[in-house]
Amino acid sequence: MNYERVAKQLIPLLGGKENIISAVHCATRLRLVLKDDTKADTKAIENIEGVKGAFSSSGQYQIIFGTGVVNKVYDSFVQEAGLQHVSADVHQEAVKQKMNPLARLAKTLSNIFVPIIPAIVASGLLMGPLGMMKAFKWVAPDSPLYVLLDMFSSAAFIILPILIGFSAAKEFGGTPFLGAVIGGIMTHPALLNPWGLAEAKPNYMHFLGFDIAMVGYQGTVVPILLATYVMCKIERGLRNVVPHTVSLLVVPFVTVISTGFITILAIGPLGNLLGDGITTVLNFIYHYGGALAGLIFGGLYSMIVITGVHHSFHAIEANLLAKLGVNYLLPIWSMANVAQGGAGLAVFVKAKSLKTKEVALPSALSAFLGITEPVIFGVNLKYRKPFIAAAIGGALGGAYVVFTNVVANAYGLTGIPMIANRGARRNAKPHQLFNWICDCGRIGVYCHVIAWISRGRINKAPDNR
């Protein structure tokens, strides 16, 4: 194959040199960012020697050459097109500029959360069996085995802001370890873990005229994302003005101190205020909306998970159990989580990419056990249509469980492990095995329906091998 000739043939079919913004390659494909994808003549490109396929996806125009060929074509192509060899990070920035704001946000979130998926999956897979061990009294809650497993399962969520801070700083162009430090500040032991707010009240510290609640941000998402974004802005601004001779000392110090104060005084409370506002609205809608409330809650729950404020729902659920003896919110969350798992399972079945399959299957299993962040950020939100389909399934499931008055007698377990909560209909015997079987049956139906709805988008998913 004459690689120079292939490169010369490609350029006019891609709309000319002026239409090509950036180019990189992976193991099998030439990845291009074009000003106008419609100028690319896909049929003619596919007829070029060595080309095995061409398509446009997620802001990139990709041409498949195969392993061992694409790198040689790339070298000739860059030279003929007058482009520079750029890093993957620079190319990704060009890709994001081609996307609409919503798609750009989804890609940014995906880039942040995909690297930390293994940690979340490990904890999520352990949380389900651990909850069942407690509910069925297989192991005493104060036994060494249970205490140790509880530590292992909750660790990733307790330090989630640290993980997100590290990953987000890389995405936002800052120093990852400084992002981790900001996450560490937000989860410092001096701050009360919010998961314990149902049983304890935080202390307040008076500083600069503000009464600051000494509350941590374990398990939250929005506060650390905002804090890391501000941190990166501050860090980049300082590097532009601080002399290089003292940059190593001044920039990290001023960045951490200034971001820490801004986070504790403004960003953190703003995130908590957002969470309190959402929970207040949810309570109002549920009490006056009936099945419509279930439709809204089930449909929006996955979007609330993206913000991380869903952790504040534990306090509401604890109050429901204390006052009513039942938790009517948990079955709705369960339907939304299972729907996301079903969509992730559809991605696993339909995707051609081995890399996508490797992420989709464990993420879907984690969602069935009640932890949906991996499948949302790593799979469904990436392809968008599976996420939308899952939201529809969650909405319909939420409406159904509210209409049939399905409730739980505990909180914390969703998905399949929620069976251990003895989900039952009001005024029915809570140990009724029939209700458990119905719950399992609904889960199966949702998985099948969501997989069917999602199939069109995933069939077009490219091979990332």
Side-chain angles (χ1 to χ4, degrees):
M1 180 188 298
N2 189 320
Y3 304 111
E4 293 182 1
R5 184 176 64 210
V6 171
K8 290 180 180 179
Q9 291 175 331
L10 281 175
I11 292 173
L13 296 178
L14 291 168
K17 295 181 181 180
E18 64 279 0
N19 194 43
I20 304 171
I21 298 175
S22 176
V24 295
H25 73 88
C26 61
T28 60
R29 283 165 288 152
L30 184 65
R31 296 171 176 261
L32 308 172
V33 177
L34 306 179
K35 291 181 181 179
D36 185 358
D37 289 353
T38 61
K39 291 184 178 181
D41 189 344
T42 300
K43 290 184 178 180
I45 290 174
E46 289 179 338
N47 289 328
I48 295 178
E49 180 187 4
V51 174
K52 300 178 181 179
F55 58 91
S56 180
S57 175
S58 300
Q60 294 184 90
Y61 191 85
Q62 305 182 44
I63 306 174
I64 305 172
F65 283 99
T67 305
V69 177
V70 65
N71 55 320
K72 297 177 182 178
V73 173
Y74 170 76
D75 291 336
S76 298
F77 180 83
V78 169
Q79 184 176 356
E80 291 293 333
L83 299 173
Q84 294 181 346
H85 291 266
V86 297
S87 65
D89 292 338
V90 173
H91 182 76
Q92 286 300 319
E93 284 299 318
V95 172
K96 287 195 285 188
Q97 294 303 317
K98 280 287 302 291
M99 298 178 173
N100 61 61
L102 183 60
R104 195 180 309 158
L105 175 62
K107 184 170 182 61
T108 298
L109 291 174
S110 178
N111 290 343
I112 291 172
F113 279 88
V114 165
I116 64 178
I117 281 178
I120 300 177
V121 168
S123 294
L125 291 176
L126 183 56
M127 273 186 171
L130 185 65
M132 297 184 72
M133 289 168 61
K134 181 179 179 180
F136 289 117
K137 299 180 179 179
W138 294 337
V139 178
D142 58 350
S143 67
L145 176 62
Y146 184 88
V147 171
L148 289 174
L149 291 178
D150 184 54
M151 290 170 52
F152 302 159
S153 66
S154 61
F157 294 95
I158 292 175
I159 66 168
L160 186 61
I162 299 177
L163 301 177
I164 295 176
F166 184 92
S167 185
K170 292 178 63 177
E171 180 67 16
F172 295 146
T175 302
F177 290 102
L178 292 184
V181 170
I182 300 302
I185 292 173
M186 300 177 72
T187 57
H188 195 278
L191 302 175
L192 180 66
N193 189 328
W195 292 352
L197 282 180
E199 302 174 357
K201 294 183 179 180
N203 295 322
Y204 284 83
M205 177 176 60
H206 188 73
F207 182 73
L208 297 178
F210 295 94
D211 288 326
I212 304 172
M214 300 295 287
V215 180
Y217 301 91
Q218 290 86 344
T220 61
V221 174
V222 172
I224 183 59
L225 286 176
L226 294 176
T228 307
Y229 181 79
V230 171
M231 184 213 77
C232 293
K233 287 288 187 181
I234 294 174
E235 183 187 4
R236 291 201 300 268
L238 289 172
R239 293 195 183 280
N240 291 331
V241 297
V242 175
H244 292 294
T245 54
V246 294
S247 177
L248 181 62
L249 296 176
V250 175
V251 172
F253 174 77
V254 177
T255 298
V256 170
I257 293 297
S258 57
T259 306
F261 278 118
I262 294 172
T263 299
I264 297 299
L265 294 175
I267 295 176
L270 178 62
N272 282 339
L273 182 63
L274 177 63
D276 292 341
I278 290 178
T279 53
T280 299
V281 172
L282 290 176
N283 270 328
F284 178 83
I285 294 175
Y286 185 88
H287 283 104
Y288 295 97
L292 178 61
L295 187 77
I296 296 174
F297 283 8
L300 295 180
Y301 183 69
S302 295
M303 285 179 269
I304 296 172
V305 170
I306 294 175
T307 69
V309 299
H310 62 296
H311 291 294
S312 64
F313 296 163
H314 291 318
I316 296 177
E317 295 176 48
N319 288 332
L320 288 176
L321 290 170
K323 294 180 180 180
L324 303 177
V326 295
N327 180 359
Y328 51 72
L329 293 176
L330 198 63
I332 302 176
W333 309 156
S334 185
M335 293 300 100
N337 288 349
V338 167
Q340 290 292 340
L345 191 60
V347 175
F348 169 75
V349 173
K350 296 295 184 179
K352 298 177 181 178
S353 165
L354 294 179
K355 185 176 181 180
T356 299
K357 287 179 177 290
E358 291 174 356
V359 174
L361 182 59
S363 298
L365 295 177
S366 178
F368 293 143
L369 295 175
I371 305 299
T372 55
E373 284 88 348
V375 77
I376 288 176
F377 291 106
V379 182
N380 296 343
L381 199 59
K382 178 180 179 181
Y383 291 105
R384 293 191 292 280
K385 189 172 180 180
F387 181 83
I388 295 173
I392 295 172
L396 296 176
Y400 176 78
V401 295
V402 173
F403 179 75
T404 55
N405 291 322
V406 175
V407 297
N409 63 357
Y411 71 96
L413 295 175
T414 59
I416 295 175
M418 200 193 77
I419 296 173
N421 283 349
R422 299 178 176 89
R425 292 171 179 82
R426 290 183 185 176
N427 301 321
K429 294 181 180 180
H431 296 278
Q432 212 170 14
L433 180 61
F434 175 75
N435 287 332
W436 295 0
I437 297 174
C438 287
D439 288 338
C440 291
R442 284 195 295 272
I443 289 171
V445 171
Y446 285 128
C447 291
H448 180 78
V449 171
I450 298 303
W452 181 83
I453 294 175
S454 302
R455 73 192 192 286
R457 172 74 177 179
I458 305 305
N459 275 331
K460 299 179 182 178
D463 187 351
N464 288 324
R465 287 177 293 179

